[in-house]
Amino acid sequence: NAGVMQNPRHLVRRRGQEARLRCSPMKGHSHVYWYRQLPEEGLKFMVYLQKENIIDESGMPKERFSAEFPKEGPSILRIQQVVRGDSAAYFCASSPGQGGYNEQFFGPGTRLTVL
Amino acid sequence: GESVGLHLPTLSVQEGDNSIINCAYSNSASDYFIWYKQESGKGPQFIIDIRSNMDKRQGQRVTVLLNKTVKHLSLQIAATQPGDSAVYFCAERYNQGGKLIFGQGTELSVKP
């Protein structure tokens, strides 16, 4: 019974390159959330997706960042033309549904370093 | 803007003592609250949750208290153990949309 899976665990990119972060939710979960964490800070919400739909992207930077959760396959957080300020840990969480009080289960995170 | 390099509040306790970690949340309309534990290099791990229509909930060795009047949440850990050393975050949910808003976090250090 695997938990939330994220890969890669560590990603190093040079400024201007693209970063692709993947998240496979827990089995049976159809809701995915992405959060970003800077050192010694709490997690900051970025985007909330269901299969093939973006529900809430109020935390996403307006440029360079995009997210998708296709019908088949993992959710992808894509950062184009990365800058040093994008260096952070990116966490994905999943939950079974929106209604009620659904706990969000977190993955181990992807640590992005931009050189 | 975001702050960089802030030091987290730290709570240092002796093994076997009880720990109390506090959190002030921001939105009086939040309906659901969760405490997470995060160890170094890992993702947040669920500890306990509480709905806004409750003021106390107990788990194994942990208790969460909710005071909606002053928008305050606390986590009590009984008989703290070295394995409890971690950063603890409270999180609130504004509406049933699911987005969680995290607090700054408190670093718990347990001395053997």
Side-chain angles (χ1 to χ4, degrees), chain A residues 7-54:
Chain A
N7 67 82
R9 295 292 308 278
H10 299 273
L11 183 61
V12 178
R13 285 288 178 266
R14 296 191 179 279
R15 281 178 297 170
Q17 292 184 319
E18 178 180 286
R20 279 182 179 247
L21 288 61
R22 295 174 187 79
C23 169
S24 296
M26 286 182 68
K27 186 176 181 181
H29 286 193
S30 59
H31 295 245
V32 165
Y33 312 80
W34 285 94
Y35 295 83
R36 176 165 62 177
Q37 186 177 35
L38 295 172
E40 298 203 354
E41 292 194 9
L43 283 73
K44 298 283 196 294
F45 169 79
M46 299 182 75
V47 62
Y48 165 32
L49 310 104
Q50 294 179 30
K51 287 282 187 182
E52 299 184 283
N53 284 306
I54 296 175

Side-chain angles (χ1 to χ4, degrees), chain B residues 47-94:
Chain B
I47 302 173
I48 191 168
D49 58 1
I50 188 168
R51 303 177 187 184
S52 59
N53 61 355
M54 305 168 69
D55 54 21
K56 180 178 180 179
R57 188 158 188 236
Q58 288 185 292
Q60 187 177 13
R61 280 203 308 122
V62 294
T63 301
V64 55
L65 299 177
L66 174 62
N67 185 331
K68 293 183 289 293
T69 303
V70 294
K71 295 192 288 185
H72 184 267
L73 200 62
S74 69
L75 176 70
Q76 301 177 1
I77 305 174
T80 315
Q81 303 168 1
D84 294 327
S85 294
V87 177
Y88 289 80
F89 293 98
C90 66
E92 62 183 298
R93 189 180 71 175
Y94 277 7

Side-chain angles (χ1 to χ4, degrees), chain A:
Chain A
N1 188 13
V4 178
M5 299 174 66
Q6 291 187 248
N7 67 82
R9 295 292 308 278
H10 299 273
L11 183 61
V12 178
R13 285 288 178 266
R14 296 191 179 279
R15 281 178 297 170
Q17 292 184 319
E18 178 180 286
R20 279 182 179 247
L21 288 61
R22 295 174 187 79
C23 169
S24 296
M26 286 182 68
K27 186 176 181 181
H29 286 193
S30 59
H31 295 245
V32 165
Y33 312 80
W34 285 94
Y35 295 83
R36 176 165 62 177
Q37 186 177 35
L38 295 172
E40 298 203 354
E41 292 194 9
L43 283 73
K44 298 283 196 294
F45 169 79
M46 299 182 75
V47 62
Y48 165 32
L49 310 104
Q50 294 179 30
K51 287 282 187 182
E52 299 184 283
N53 284 306
I54 296 175
I55 306 304
D56 181 355
E57 56 181 347
S58 58
M60 286 279 271
K62 293 288 185 285
E63 297 177 347
R64 302 188 298 108
F65 285 72
S66 61
E68 62 176 6
F69 189 15
K71 187 176 180 180
E72 301 291 337
S75 175
I76 306 287
L77 179 67
R78 182 183 179 205
I79 311 172
Q80 295 177 290
Q81 299 174 343
V82 295
V83 301
R84 289 213 173 112
D86 297 332
S87 295
Y90 292 83
F91 291 96
C92 167
S94 73
S95 71
Q98 175 181 355
Y101 299 91
N102 289 294
E103 176 191 339
Q104 292 183 21
F105 294 85
F106 281 83
T110 293
R111 278 147 187 85
L112 172 65
T113 301
V114 179
L115 301 178

